[in-house]
Every structure is written in structure tokens, then in C-alpha cells.
Amino acid sequence: LTHIKHIVATGGLRAAQTCARVDELIAGGDLNRTLRCEILSFGYKRGIPRESDLVLDVRFLPNPFYIREIRAFTGLEAPIRDFVLGKEETKGFLEHLYGMVDYLIPLYQKEGKRRLMIAIGCTGGAHRSVAISEALGEHLRKAGQTVSVAHRDIEQEKASWAFRRDLNPDA
């Protein structure tokens, strides 16, 4: 029994409170990074990710797919990123999004949540949702959060563009 450092009395505690207490002991009282933010871009045409906690629809933003010169790029590349993030409506949206997420994260942490999945969707999952997901990830990292960003549908969408080009080279 000499290896036991802490005994946690769980009587009367909810599950979230028990998790928070254990996290506090493990982290030495520093709970600032116990919540992991996972950001996932996706395309609505392939369905909403079931594991999502928050789902944001960015199909209201101008769609770069309809601009022939840049449509073959993704939100990871400068032509799309600059197009999406340079729009006034995007700037306003990001201001509100950052404020909302900055407000919510401490509340989720307080409730003992360890993982927060934020899913951001556009039509195909390769342009707008990717650029917004990357921007949100960067914002949260700068705020000291533990963040991962993944893009569920980007490769499938790129493959569909290649298939369409094979059928219609002028597309």
C-alpha cells in the first residue's frame, strides 16, 4: 500500500465531478489542458459525423468550387484559404465563432468533459470547411488549447473532381 498516493472519495459525486477530481490529481491542479479539442471538416453530401459535439454549417460562405481557376485546390492551400478567409462574411463569422468557442470551452472543462469534437461542414468537405477548421485550430492553439484538426472527406472529394474531369475535360 505504500504506492498509493491518493484516495478519492466518490460518494455523492457525479461522474463528471469524479473525472474532474482525478484529472486534477493527475495534472497536479493544472486543468487548463485537460480538454482535447478535435476539429473535423466534412462534406454534408457524405453525412454529419456521428461523434460530433458541435456541428457548424459553413455553406453560407461563398463557394470557391464555382471559380474555375481555384476549384482544384483545397482549403489547405493558399488560393482557397485566401479566398475563403478573405471574405467579409467569413471574418464576421470567425469573430463570433471564436467568441462562442472561447466561452464554451471552460464550461465544458468545468463539467469534466475531456474531448470536444467540433465538426465543420460545407458541401463537399474540401474547400470552406477545411479552411475554417484550420483557422479555428490555429485560434485555439494560440489560446493554449490542445487541438487536433482532421479532414474527413478531402481525399474523397478530390477523387470525385478527377473522375469528373475524366468524363468531361472542359469541367
Side-chain angles (χ1 to χ4, degrees), residues 27-106:
D30 180 15
L31 293 179
N32 290 332
R33 298 176 70 100
T34 60
L35 178 71
R36 177 167 186 75
C37 296
E38 298 177 11
I39 302 168
L40 180 66
S41 71
F42 72 96
Y44 274 94
K45 69 184 183 181
R46 293 182 184 89
I48 296 172
R50 293 178 55 160
E51 65 275 19
S52 306
D53 295 303
L54 298 174
V55 177
L56 301 164
D57 182 349
V58 296
R59 291 177 291 181
F60 64 90
L61 296 173
N63 192 346
F65 180 80
Y66 297 109
I67 301 173
R68 179 179 294 248
E69 296 77 30
I70 64 173
R71 82 167 56 151
F73 293 98
T74 72
L76 296 173
E77 299 167 288
I80 298 297
R81 185 177 53 245
D82 295 347
F83 176 87
V84 172
L85 300 181
K87 299 295 182 187
E88 286 305 312
E89 49 268 67
T90 304
K91 292 174 185 176
F93 170 70
L94 286 175
E95 184 178 318
H96 289 289
L97 175 60
Y98 296 162
M100 179 184 75
V101 172
D102 292 345
Y103 174 78
L104 290 174
I105 285 175

Side-chain angles (χ1 to χ4, degrees), residues 102-171:
D102 292 345
Y103 174 78
L104 290 174
I105 285 175
L107 298 175
Y108 282 120
Q109 286 175 313
K110 183 178 174 185
E111 283 299 309
K113 190 156 181 66
R114 295 173 152 189
R115 175 185 160 273
L116 179 65
M117 169 67 78
I118 303 171
I120 301 176
C122 63
T123 305
H127 292 130
R128 297 166 290 181
S129 62
V130 172
I132 298 298
S133 294
E134 290 290 332
L136 179 58
E138 182 179 326
H139 169 79
L140 291 173
R141 281 186 201 98
K142 285 180 182 174
Q145 297 298 324
T146 301
V147 180
S148 66
V149 180
H151 307 291
R152 185 189 76 180
D153 298 330
I154 197 168
E155 292 304 320
Q156 276 185 287
E157 190 64 10
K158 284 169 51 178
S160 78
W161 301 338
F163 176 73
R164 267 188 258 149
R165 271 195 304 276
D166 291 343
L167 294 177
N168 181 5
D170 296 328

